[in-house]
Structure formats: C-alpha cells, structure tokens
Amino acid sequence: MKCINTKSVIRLFLLFIFSMITNSCVEPYEFETETYENLLVVEALITDEVKTQEVRLTRTYELEKQMPAAETNATVTVTDDTGAQFQFYESDTPGTYLSSTKFAAGPQRTYQLQIDTRDGSSYISDPATLIPGAKIDNLYAERSFYQGEDGVALMVDSEYTSSASRYALYEYEETYKIVSPYTVRNTIKFEGNDWSVVPNTRQETVCYNTVPSKEIIISNTSSLSENDLKSFVVRFIDQENPVLAQRYSILVKQYSLTPEAFSYYSTLKKISGSGSVLSPTQPGFVSGNIRAANEDEKVIGFFTLSSTSSKRVFFNYHDFFEFDERRPQFPESCLIFRPGENYDTPIGMIKGGTVRYYSMAGAPVPGELGEGPMRVIATECVDCTVYGTNQAPDFWTE
C-alpha cells in the first residue's frame, strides 16, 4: 500500500481506467495520482476474537527503495464508547504494535483508533462498529481447471443470515510438507584444516514450511439473489507447484467488512493487482477512514472491526493426482557429480555450503559428470531446511 512505487507506466494508466469504473452497490473511495510523499500507512483490523490484537505502522517509500520503513516509537490506542482504553506496545518487530491485554471487539460497541507518532503528528479514525459476519460452512479442495490451468482449487461455502455483512475479506496460511529427494547417511566434519567422513545425525529429510497469503481476497454477495456464497475460490495451486508434492494444509480466515471497508480494499485490489495491502505496485493515493490532525497531511489505511470465521483442511498429493502423473518437487532437478581432480575442489564447495558430501567415488557410473575422488550433490537436494523447518507444526496431522 505505497504511493508511486511502480516500474510500469501501465500501472499509472490503471488509475485513469479505474476512475471511470462505478460500483452499483458500493460507492468507491476517490483517489488521485500523486508524486512521492512520505505518508503513514496503517493496517488495523480488530476482530471479535479474544486475542492480542495487532496494528502495523509503516511509511510509503520511493521507487528505488526495496522495503517500507517501519514507523517506530509511536503511541497506539483503541478506545471504545464507554471510555475503556486498550493500549498497544511496539513488539520486537519494528512497526508492529500489539495490545497490552487480550480483548475482542464487542457487538453494539463503537471504537476509535488513535496514533501519535514520535514526530508529534496525531491521527484518529472515524468511529467504527463491529458488523456480524457469515460463518464458513465448508472449506474444501477440488482438482479443477481454473483460468486454463490444471491444479487444486481451495474453496469456501458460507451461508449468510439476514443480519450478516455481505462483504468479506479472506486471508490464508498454507503449510506444506517437504521431503528431500535424496538422503545422505554421512557428512563431512571439519576440525581446523582437517576433515573426516562421519555419520549424518541431523534430521533433514522431512520439513515443513508455512507461508501467509499476500494478495487481497474479497467477496461480495450483495448482488446475489441467494444469501449463500458457494464455491468461492480462495486459493488455486497449479499442478506444477511443488507445495502440492506431499501433504498440504491451509487455514482460511474470513473477516466481515462494512460496505466502506469493502470499497477501500476493492480499490486497493484494482490498483495493486494481486499484490498485498502493502504492495509496492500501488501507484496512487487511496483515502480510508483515518485522518490526520493536520488537515493538510494525508494518511493511508482503514480501521476495521470484523467478525471472523476460520477453517482448516488437509490433503495429500495422491488425493487428486494419479500415481503415474509427474509429481513436482523441491528442487526441480538434482545431479550427483564428481568435481575436480583432487579433494580441494569438492571440500571447498562443501565448506561454502553449495553442495553436500554424497559418497566417495567408487567405480565410474555411466554418464556421471567429473572425475574427482568424491561425489557431491547440491545442498537443496538433501537438506530440506533450505525450504523450511524440520519441526512439524503443532496442528499438523498425518
């Protein structure tokens, strides 16, 4: 969610196209193309879950910068209409502020967010209330063709009551199992300038990686004749994606949105494509419901109160693909070879971490590359911790 951080003039052109688009259900927020400005960016979504709530503060950044700067040493407070205050403190992650106590946004309560930055600037949100949301009735996976690609679609069904918001934001957290295509029983141990072959006692064959969603995923059922949302695709995974290779799990969270919040996220989605809320491809300014005490100062962000619903699903590769179908893997290909003419070359490569010891060279193998005294293999072919952790998550089941 940055201003003027694009590598393509086409992105700027999107602003003019979008300005001509109207939404029959929700009036879009106005926005305008700006030159770079150092603006505060606020991510504040408070839920009805009793938990440590989170607010993220960063700054827009210029095209040549690679990452947004965190807004540190700010004072962040959420206040409800009874006068109760919830203070936030800055965590070990700069720019991420966590509530000092666990709390949940309650029904029939009004909340406001206030931010005071270290340079003396103040920001306050419009009053916001919690709107009821639909529950995820079902989260399931199906093999399907989606936008011309063969793969697995992760879909949700939700049934909406008359009082539930017809607008929703989705986030997911996917976890997948990684199995190294090769296992090494021995490894090289270094002691000063000396080395020896010793048994490999490290568990590096089976690993797990967890990745959060980055794109903006929203649904709108206000124009549907029925109250239900059916087969809404939250995530599609191409068959060639190695995250499918073994066992896969996804946790999907659904957040209720007000029409105004939906309009804000919809505008961001149209501008930033499939990028995140903080996507560097956003070429313009999008106003939200947070304003600065200084009327001439702009701020980017939306203070949202959401009802939540979540579900998790697991599946294996062969739940959807036949045994004779090509299975993707991490990495795509591996090669065992014998570098150099003496031990200096393979030992140097092993020290550098690019390869691992595989075996001493025995009788030549037809087609084998190199004539050195030791066989080696790329590290990522035997050590799955290159891609994840060798500790299974607490929720993982086989």
Side-chain angles (χ1 to χ4, degrees), residues 218-238:
I218 48 178
S219 68
N220 173 9
T221 63
S222 63
S223 61
L224 300 181
S225 58
E226 298 181 357
N227 289 339
D228 299 343
L229 183 68
K230 294 292 186 182
S231 302
F232 179 75
V233 178
V234 175
R235 170 88 162 106
F236 178 79
I237 310 172
D238 184 89

Side-chain angles (χ1 to χ4, degrees), residues 141-144 150-154 235-237 244 315 320-321:
E142 286 186 0
R143 183 172 181 176
S144 62
D150 185 12
V152 176
L154 284 306
R235 170 88 162 106
F236 178 79
I237 310 172
L244 293 175
F315 63 85
F320 299 104
F321 301 99

